[in-house]
Amino acid sequence: MSEFDLSMRFIDEQIVELAPQQAARRYALELGLPTISRALGSHLAFVAASTCAQKIIEIGSTGGLTTTWLHRGSPRATITCIDSEPEHLAQTRRALLEAAHPSSAIRCITGDPHRVLPRMSEDTYDLVLITGPLQHVAVHLQHGLRVVRPGGTILVLNALNYGRVADPARRDPITTSLRLVIREFQRQPDLACAVLPIDGGLLQVTSLAS
């Protein structure tokens, strides 16, 4: 086992996942939804807390797994979740309620994100989390940049496509698109961009306040 893998295992072992998160993880695994390690979950909580996020939007669904970690970092934030599957959103709401998130601060919008996001208000959200299919990341990022406030942050799960982005031999459309997105965002003077090689890769983008 590599030094990195040993470190990740140690970190995961130190983190306690609460009952609502355990239930959400089981649901995500059963339905084949994206899952995250406890280490990445704790990082999501850290980002939500350190940015003092009060308005969060999640694009795509993990059945409440990522959402309950965001709750741990910002337990009073208004969390908006968009997904085309009402059952996944219902599970997300249940998970948040079990985690004691205020019901009035949970917004679940059923619909195709491609149709819903253009109707969302600009410069509104402190934190945007993109969990949806990788083939839609580029489009969702553009909407994320529109709806996030100046100084707000966008996070993208699996941005390295589980190591494929770093492999120059990989030239499939999804991997190529992710590779181009990362390169382009690194070159934007009005953005601060970083990628963490954790789980499938986490792209972090902050819109610099003018």
Side-chain angles (χ1 to χ4, degrees):
M1 184 175 291
S2 69
E3 180 181 339
F4 179 82
D5 290 334
L6 284 171
S7 297
M8 287 301 303
R9 187 174 70 176
F10 170 79
I11 293 168
D12 254 14
E13 289 172 349
Q14 311 314 306
I15 299 168
V16 176
E17 200 165 59
L18 304 178
Q21 293 167 309
Q22 294 173 0
R25 181 178 295 281
R26 288 193 296 270
Y27 179 89
L29 289 170
E30 289 172 4
L31 274 294
L33 299 178
T35 60
I36 58 172
S37 65
R38 286 173 287 179
L40 180 53
S42 68
H43 182 72
L44 296 183
F46 170 80
V47 172
S50 62
T51 58
C52 301
Q54 293 304 304
K55 292 185 177 180
I56 300 172
I57 184 168
E58 183 177 82
I59 304 169
S61 178
T62 62
L65 180 56
T66 50
T67 331
T68 48
W69 277 109
L70 293 171
H71 157 81
R72 285 181 70 167
S74 195
R76 308 298 297 180
T78 297
I79 300 179
T80 299
C81 304
I82 303 173
D83 195 77
S84 57
E85 294 292 338
E87 292 182 5
H88 299 342
L89 290 177
Q91 168 59 27
T92 296
R93 177 180 288 276
R94 282 194 296 270
L96 284 171
L97 291 174
E98 290 173 5
H101 200 84
S103 59
S104 60
I106 305 171
R107 296 178 63 209
C108 290
I109 302 175
T110 303
D112 185 343
H114 289 93
R115 297 186 177 184
V116 175
L117 285 169
R119 303 199 299 267
M120 308 303 288
S121 300
E122 296 183 10
D123 302 335
T124 299
Y125 295 94
D126 304 307
L127 182 60
V128 178
L129 176 63
I130 299 173
T131 71
L134 293 179
Q135 62 265 34
H136 302 317
V137 162
V139 174
H140 289 168
L141 270 170
Q142 293 305 314
H143 286 298
L145 288 170
R146 186 181 62 82
V147 304
V148 75
R149 63 167 176 80
T153 296
I154 304 170
L155 305 175
V156 181
L157 298 187
N158 302 323
L160 294 175
N161 201 6
Y162 299 98
R164 294 180 179 89
V165 169
D167 182 356
R170 297 277 188 168
R171 299 184 180 274
D172 60 276
I174 290 176
T175 301
T176 299
S177 175
L178 290 170
R179 194 177 289 131
L180 292 173
V181 162
I182 292 171
R183 287 174 179 167
E184 179 64 23
F185 273 58
Q186 290 283 6
R187 289 165 171 75
Q188 295 298 318
D190 57 342
L191 300 175
C193 179
V195 184
L196 295 181
I198 181 173
D199 289 17
L202 180 70
L203 173 62
Q204 303 175 108
V205 180
T206 293
S207 171
L208 299 179
S210 57

